[in-house]
Amino acid sequence: MTGIVLYGFDGSTYVRTVRMLLAEKGARYEQVPVNVLKGEPRQSEHMARHPFGKVPVLDHDGFRIIETGAIAPYLDEVLPGPSFTPDSSKDRARMRMAMGIIDSYGYGALIAVAGYHFFPDLIGEPDEEARKHAIVSSRRVLQELMKIRGGSAFIAGEPPSLADFYVAPICCLVSLTPDANEVFAVEGFTRWWEQVQAMPSYQATAPRFGWDLLFAAAAAGRGVS
């Protein structure tokens, strides 16, 4: 398949989710940057792509898709290469539970940990109680994800799935904070984290610009979906 255009900045964890999948598929694509700090997601050009001013957005041969929860399964289905959707109904449920947890609870909690340390000016005055709450919430998220994983190598089974691509980019942000050891002190997490970091797609999709823009975008909590 050809004609893939991905709209979004490298600092978005959700954009990186899609980029990891594209890397695993060996797919060629064009990436069009959408800079959160310059307000580009809210400018008319991008609002025409995504009515809520979020990234990523994907165009594929004239077909436009918004929201990572729709983009990733679509690409996994239509692109050649290995599938990252489990074969069994139970493992697919595990994958979808993990993706839902990140969307509903995990993103906000884990991003709050990173934002506290790197760009507090974007989230208001440093609040120690808020930091502690974010750590507790983040650990709860990771504990549930590792519970879903059980004895499997990855979150939804022995091979990696879309769930791992959802979780890894956000954990990358937290890993660079002084709170990483406390947040990651969850049974089963270390093994999973080591395996994910060793994946070529994880290594190939590290943001290409300075961490300042990455954390500013993350701390702002804007323009990602």
Side-chain angles (χ1 to χ4, degrees):
M1 308 294 284
T2 59
I4 298 174
V5 180
L6 175 65
Y7 297 92
F9 63 108
D10 283 359
S12 162
T13 61
Y14 282 111
V15 170
R16 189 176 183 187
T17 291
V18 177
R19 293 178 62 227
M20 286 183 67
L21 176 58
L22 288 167
E24 292 285 349
K25 293 283 191 176
R28 298 180 63 181
Y29 64 99
E30 175 188 358
Q31 184 173 345
V32 177
V34 181
N35 191 315
V36 167
L37 295 186
K38 293 181 179 179
E40 291 178 357
R42 295 293 179 177
Q43 294 175 2
S44 59
E45 181 179 4
H46 188 69
M47 292 290 285
R49 303 182 192 114
H50 195 305
F52 303 102
K54 302 286 187 177
V55 294
V57 173
L58 186 88
D59 283 349
H60 183 214
D61 288 340
F63 180 54
R64 175 161 292 170
I65 313 173
I66 64 174
E67 302 301 309
T68 307
I71 293 170
Y74 169 83
L75 289 174
D76 192 34
E77 182 176 345
V78 303
L79 292 177
S83 173
F84 295 94
T85 300
D87 292 331
S88 79
S89 57
K90 290 182 179 179
D91 287 346
R92 287 195 298 274
R94 292 163 70 191
M95 179 188 78
R96 290 165 182 157
M97 280 193 289
M99 293 165 68
I101 286 169
I102 290 298
D103 284 340
S104 298
Y105 319 107
Y107 180 85
L110 291 158
I111 287 299
V113 174
Y116 175 89
H117 291 286
F118 291 95
F119 277 86
D121 56 311
L122 293 177
I123 59 175
E125 288 295 321
D127 185 332
E128 184 63 19
E129 288 304 311
R131 169 178 169 266
K132 291 179 180 177
H133 178 74
I135 291 172
V136 170
S137 297
S138 295
R139 285 175 53 83
R140 183 181 302 121
V141 166
L142 296 181
Q143 286 166 349
E144 187 60 29
L145 291 174
M146 292 304 105
K147 179 180 176 182
I148 291 170
R149 173 176 164 252
S152 301
F154 291 94
I155 290 175
E158 293 311 308
S161 73
L162 300 181
D164 302 288
F165 302 155
Y166 252 65
V167 182
I170 306 179
C171 288
C172 174
L173 299 186
V174 176
S175 73
L176 300 172
T177 74
D179 291 324
N181 288 340
E182 185 174 359
V183 173
F184 292 166
V186 170
E187 184 177 357
F189 179 85
T190 298
R191 180 187 172 212
W192 173 84
W193 185 226
E194 289 174 348
Q195 292 178 133
V196 167
Q197 290 180 94
M199 293 176 64
S201 62
Y202 178 88
Q203 297 173 11
T205 56
R208 294 187 293 268
F209 50 72
W211 288 109
D212 55 343
L213 181 56
L214 173 65
F215 282 115
R222 299 171 298 181
V224 290
S225 63

